[in-house]
Amino acid sequence: MTAVIIDGKGFAERLRGRIGTLAAQFEEQAGRKAGLAVVLVGEDPASQVYVRGKHRATVGAGMESFEHRLAADTSQADLLALVERLNADDAVDGILVQLPLPDHLDEQAVIAAIAPEKDVDGFHVINAGRLATGGTGFVPCTPYGCIMLLRDRLGDLSGMDAVVIGRSNIVGKPMAQLLLGENCTVTIAHSRTKDLPAVVGRADIVVAAVGRPEMVKGEWLKDGATVIDVGINRVAASEEGKTRLVGDVDFGGASERAGAITPVPGGVGPMTIAVLLRNTLVSAFRREGLELDESAL
Ligand code: NAD
C-alpha cells in the first residue's frame, strides 16, 4: 500500500483563511481586533523563530499581536506582574508564554497565573481539567490540530484503536483525551512501554509524539493505519554541514504500509499555529459575548 499524504500545510492554510474572514467579522461587531499577547523571555534561537512565526500569522489573520520580549535574567516577580497586566488588559484575548523558560523561572507557576479564559495554549490546569471532564475550555494547539486532520481524513473515529506514543502534558496526554472524546479505544505508550512494535501493530491510528528521529518503523504498523507524526527532529543531512527535519516516524517505510500519513515538515507543524489563531478568535468572541459557530472552525 502507498499511503495518502495528509496535507497539513494545505489544511492549515484553508483554516487560516476561515479565521481571517471571522476575524474581520469580529472586528466589525466588537469595534476592535482580536488580540494575542506573546511573551518571550531570553534569546533562545528556536523560540525566537516560533515567536516571529506566531506574530506574522496573527497579523496576517487580521488580529492584533502584542509582543513582549523580556531579558533572560527577568525575575519571576516581574514575569508574573506582566502576566497579571495582560490578564487585566481588555485588548488581549489570548496570552501565550513561550516555553521553555530560562531555568531560574518556575514554568508551572507562570502558566497557573494566566487567566484560564485567556489561556489559548490550553496548558492551565483548569483547561486540562475541562478537557479531561468533557467541559468547554481551551485545548492545546498541537493535539487539537492532529484531531482536525484525523476527522478530515477518517470522518467518524468511533471504535477505532488509537495508540499515542508519548505522555507529555503538551501533546501526548491531551491527544489521548481528545481521541477518547472521539470514542476511540486509546492506548498511551511511553518510554517504559514493553514491546512497542506490538502495541503499535494493533492501532488503526498512530500518533507519534516522542522526539526521537524516525523511531517508529514501517513494519510495526498495521496495514492501512493512519499515522500522525508530531515529532520535529533536526538531523544531519547527506550534504556536509547541512541539516534537515525528520519526524518520529520512518516516513519511507511507513508510507509503504500506512493508509495515510502526515509528512514532516508540512504535516502537523502548520496546524499548531493555525489552532493558536483559532483559539484566540474563539476567546475574543466569547469574551465579547458574541455569537460564533465554533464548528465552522
Ligand atoms: P517530551 O519530551 O515532553 O515527551 C516525549 C515523550 O516520549 C515522553 O512522554 C516519553 O515517555 C516518550 N518517550 C521517550 N522515549 C520513548 C521511547 N523510546 N518509546 C516510547 N516513548 C518514548 O516531548 P513533547 O513536548 O511531547 O514533544 C514530542 C515531539 O513532538 C518532539 O519532537 C517535539 O519537537 C514535537 N512537537 C511538535 C509540535 C508541532 O507543532 N508539530 C509541537 C510540540 C511538540
Side-chain angles (χ1 to χ4, degrees), residues 184-234:
C184 291
T185 303
V186 184
T187 303
I188 306 178
H190 47 77
S191 52
R192 306 282 177 90
T193 295
K194 287 182 196 151
D195 200 358
L196 186 61
V199 172
V200 169
R202 291 195 289 272
D204 304 305
I205 295 169
V206 178
V207 181
V210 186
R212 288 176 180 252
E214 302 175 323
M215 185 192 85
V216 177
K217 304 300 176 202
E219 62 263 27
W220 297 4
L221 299 170
K222 177 167 158 179
D223 270 332
T226 302
V227 179
I228 303 289
D229 190 350
V230 181
I232 303 177
N233 308 288
R234 192 165 282 286

Side-chain angles (χ1 to χ4, degrees), residues 7-25 49-63 148-149 266-281 296-297:
D7 178 15
K9 191 163 176 258
F11 190 100
E13 266 162 28
R14 292 191 294 282
L15 175 58
R16 278 160 64 162
R18 295 197 295 281
I19 291 168
T21 305
L22 289 165
Q25 187 186 314
V49 172
Y50 291 141
V51 166
R52 255 201 309 277
K54 285 166 187 171
H55 172 79
R56 262 202 303 269
T58 307
V59 173
M63 301 191 215
M148 286 178 131
L149 294 179
V268 174
M271 292 300 292
T272 299
I273 289 191
V275 175
L276 174 67
L277 301 178
R278 175 205 180 272
N279 284 353
T280 303
L281 193 62
L297 284 170

Side-chain angles (χ1 to χ4, degrees), residues 11 15 50 54 96 98 120-123 131 138-150 164 168-176 178-179 207-210 228-232 248 262 267-279:
F11 190 100
L15 175 58
Y50 291 141
K54 285 166 187 171
L96 180 151
Q98 185 65 44
V120 285
D121 250 345
F123 294 164
L131 175 61
F138 288 112
V139 176
C141 303
T142 301
Y144 195 80
C146 295
I147 278 289
M148 286 178 131
L149 294 179
L150 282 168
V164 179
S168 71
N169 289 338
I170 294 173
V171 189
K173 281 185 207 155
M175 188 72 230
L178 286 168
L179 288 163
V207 181
V210 186
I228 303 289
D229 190 350
V230 181
I232 303 177
D248 289 342
T262 58
V268 174
M271 292 300 292
T272 299
I273 289 191
V275 175
L276 174 67
L277 301 178
R278 175 205 180 272
N279 284 353

Side-chain angles (χ1 to χ4, degrees), residues 239-297:
E239 212 178 318
E240 188 148 346
K242 296 253 161 112
T243 60
R244 65 192 176 98
L245 292 181
V246 298
D248 289 342
V249 179
D250 168 22
F251 185 80
S255 300
E256 287 170 19
R257 197 76 173 249
I261 184 167
T262 58
V264 177
V268 174
M271 292 300 292
T272 299
I273 289 191
V275 175
L276 174 67
L277 301 178
R278 175 205 180 272
N279 284 353
T280 303
L281 193 62
V282 166
S283 170
F285 272 90
R286 283 184 193 161
R287 292 184 60 250
E288 294 288 348
L290 295 168
E291 194 96 4
L292 170 69
D293 176 9
E294 291 181 22
S295 65
L297 284 170

Side-chain angles (χ1 to χ4, degrees), residues 78-93:
D78 284 351
L79 180 54
L80 290 175
L82 172 60
V83 170
E84 281 310 323
R85 279 203 303 282
L86 297 173
N87 283 342
D89 186 341
D90 281 339
V92 172
D93 299 294

